[in-house]
Amino acid sequence: MDVLHMTSRKRETYDVKIEASLLWECALGIAAITNTRLIDTLERPKASWDKLKKSLSRSLIQDLDYVEKNNTWKSLLLLLHQKEFQTLHEFITYVDALEEEEIIFLCIPYIGLKFQEFRMLASKGDMASRDRLKEQTEDNPYYPGYIEFICTTNVNNLKKHLMSVMTRWYEEVILPEQETLAAILTRDRQSKKEMSEKLNSEALVEWATGGITYLAEPAVHTVLLIPQAIYRPWNVEGDIEGVKVFYYPVANESIYPDEQDMPNYFLVQKHKALGDEARLRMVKLLKRSERTLQEITNELNMGKSTVHHHLKILRSARLVDTHEGKYHLKENAVQSLSNELMHYLTK
């Protein structure tokens, strides 16, 4: 159906902020080492994680066991979002001064504006509100148990635990590599800020995260990009009121600055993916409209296994994605390619 446009209103989008801090790296490191289901998929080899664990103090190991049992790494991340903390001391002082209901409220995950009243009442001890939040998050593997824990635990013990694990991890793991880590995060933040002047918000998020397409949501006005090295190659996603957060993996060139000619991994993959006649034809086909595997096979008169192979390469390069059985072109990824190339050539 044709549409007669009689409005000048443009589709709303979001602003992008970019922050970097060793405190984020600290909290995410605590999250990573206690995520036993995911740790084998991280870029850091298991042998390296095992060696790190053996070097930690008994007190920190006990703190980490508590984190793994109760997912209190989430509390650390939520509290870090309350201010732009400059130092560990500033963060610890802030946590120590929080009132009982306040810290419980802040540590309960934000799950949407319409559930804010339940969140507030749950922080005051209302069991019905707590159960409502648990029901609403039952699809999440750990939220219900975490919410139950936060709402029923002894607050003074929680504060002591959070201050202890954050301080010990920072002193034992972050400080020995402080200069190196700080330089990596600073370089990556600067790279993303430079690119923010050339890309729109959605294209910037897609480029920084290595392919996440995040469209504006009614209650989200800001996307916060936070570079991290410890969780590579994963993006970690979070939500706070009015803000979508992506703790994204730092780029290779931020880790290896002396290798100035090292290109971004996805820049190479995109050009490799497009350097083939069949795949270029698929890209042009998908530019017109989304299609199923069978439709692409029919229109290009190619074997299904061959088409599937080419689509797999395009997907791994984050140029194509699927939704409800249909392939579609990630247009932001294509449109930003020339800017990415120029950014690499001129840096």
Side-chain angles (χ1 to χ4, degrees):
M1 179 184 291
D2 291 332
V3 177
L4 181 62
H5 294 282
M6 300 186 68
T7 176
S8 61
R9 184 178 178 218
K10 296 182 179 178
R11 183 174 69 84
E12 293 184 9
T13 187
Y14 45 76
D15 295 323
V16 177
K17 288 183 62 179
I18 309 166
E19 295 181 4
S21 167
L22 289 174
L23 297 179
W24 298 115
E25 194 72 8
C26 183
L28 288 167
I30 293 168
I33 201 169
T34 56
N35 192 339
T36 54
R37 292 178 300 175
L38 194 69
I39 198 166
D40 287 343
T41 70
L42 299 179
E43 184 178 88
R44 186 171 187 161
K46 185 178 183 299
S48 177
W49 284 110
D50 292 340
K51 182 179 179 181
L52 174 61
K53 287 180 181 178
K54 290 179 181 178
S55 73
L56 302 178
S57 66
R58 171 177 281 188
S59 297
L60 180 51
I61 291 294
Q62 291 174 342
D63 282 336
L64 293 175
D65 289 342
Y66 194 84
V67 172
E68 185 171 349
K69 179 181 178 182
N70 299 298
N71 290 299
T72 48
W73 58 268
K74 183 65 175 178
S75 303
L76 292 172
L77 290 177
L78 289 171
L79 292 170
L80 279 171
H81 280 294
Q82 302 311 309
K83 290 176 60 179
E84 292 188 19
F85 300 100
Q86 301 300 314
T87 64
L88 174 65
H89 176 73
E90 186 179 348
F91 175 69
I92 296 301
T93 301
Y94 169 79
V95 173
D96 195 32
L98 287 172
E99 298 293 336
E100 181 171 333
E101 289 182 8
E102 187 177 12
I103 192 171
I104 295 174
F105 175 78
L106 294 175
C107 289
I108 296 174
Y110 171 80
I111 58 174
L113 280 174
K114 64 181 181 180
F115 296 100
Q116 284 295 75
E117 185 176 356
F118 293 108
R119 188 178 174 211
M120 179 61 73
L121 291 172
S123 70
K124 297 177 182 293
D126 184 73
M127 293 179 61
S129 296
R130 181 203 316 162
D131 291 341
R132 183 73 176 88
L133 293 175
K134 289 167 62 178
E135 291 171 6
Q136 187 62 29
T137 59
E138 61 185 1
D139 290 339
N140 186 286
Y142 71 89
Y143 265 17
Y146 170 76
I147 291 170
E148 177 73 21
F149 165 77
I150 288 297
C151 293
T152 59
T153 191
N154 179 282
V155 172
N156 287 329
N157 290 341
L158 174 64
K159 289 168 70 170
K160 289 178 183 177
H161 160 69
L162 295 176
M163 292 187 290
S164 175
V165 71
M166 190 74 171
T167 300
R168 294 181 192 281
W169 185 271
Y170 194 94
E171 292 177 348
E172 296 183 32
V173 180
I174 299 296
L175 276 182
E177 301 182 46
Q178 181 176 6
E179 290 186 12
T180 300
L181 284 172
I184 290 172
L185 299 177
T186 299
R187 281 192 293 268
D188 206 89
R189 179 177 183 269
Q190 183 58 34
S191 174
K192 301 308 184 284
K193 286 184 71 69
E194 290 174 3
M195 189 61 86
S196 70
E197 299 175 2
K198 304 172 185 177
L199 301 178
N200 65 41
S201 296
E202 291 169 9
L204 177 63
V205 169
E206 192 166 311
W207 176 68
T209 60
I212 293 178
T213 301
Y214 179 68
L215 303 179
E217 297 179 79
V220 176
H221 311 293
T222 303
V223 167
L224 179 58
L225 296 176
I226 298 175
Q228 51 83 13
I230 197 70
Y231 244 103
R232 279 179 31 121
W234 291 96
N235 287 280
V236 181
E237 183 178 335
D239 293 281
I240 53 178
E241 187 173 351
V243 180
K244 171 67 73 173
V245 185
F246 293 104
Y247 311 91
Y248 69 88
V250 295
N252 286 342
E253 55 267 33
S254 298
I255 300 176
Y256 308 106
D258 294 334
E259 300 181 30
Q260 295 184 5
D261 293 336
M262 177 180 287
N264 179 279
Y265 172 80
F266 286 109
L267 177 63
V268 175
Q269 296 305 108
K270 288 175 186 177
H271 281 277
K272 283 184 176 180
L274 294 174
D276 179 272
E277 180 182 338
R279 291 195 287 272
L280 275 175
R281 292 174 65 193
M282 290 179 190
V283 167
K284 186 169 184 177
L285 196 64
L286 294 174
K287 176 68 174 69
R288 296 176 187 144
S289 67
E290 60 181 18
R291 284 168 166 79
T292 65
L293 175 62
Q294 189 60 55
E295 288 171 338
I296 298 172
T297 299
N298 293 342
E299 293 193 50
L300 295 182
N301 195 27
M302 298 171 64
K304 184 175 289 187
S305 61
T306 301
V307 171
H308 187 267
H309 170 73
H310 285 306
L311 288 170
K312 184 177 180 181
I313 292 174
L314 289 168
R315 288 189 67 192
S316 67
R318 311 291 173 87
L319 292 170
V320 167
D321 209 345
T322 59
H323 179 66
E324 296 182 349
K326 290 189 175 183
Y327 291 86
H328 65 268
L329 182 66
K330 302 182 73 169
E331 295 198 24
N332 277 334
V334 177
Q335 291 170 359
S336 65
L337 192 51
S338 61
N339 282 323
E340 292 179 46
L341 179 59
M342 190 54 62
H343 179 72
Y344 165 67
L345 294 176
T346 58
K347 70 178 181 180

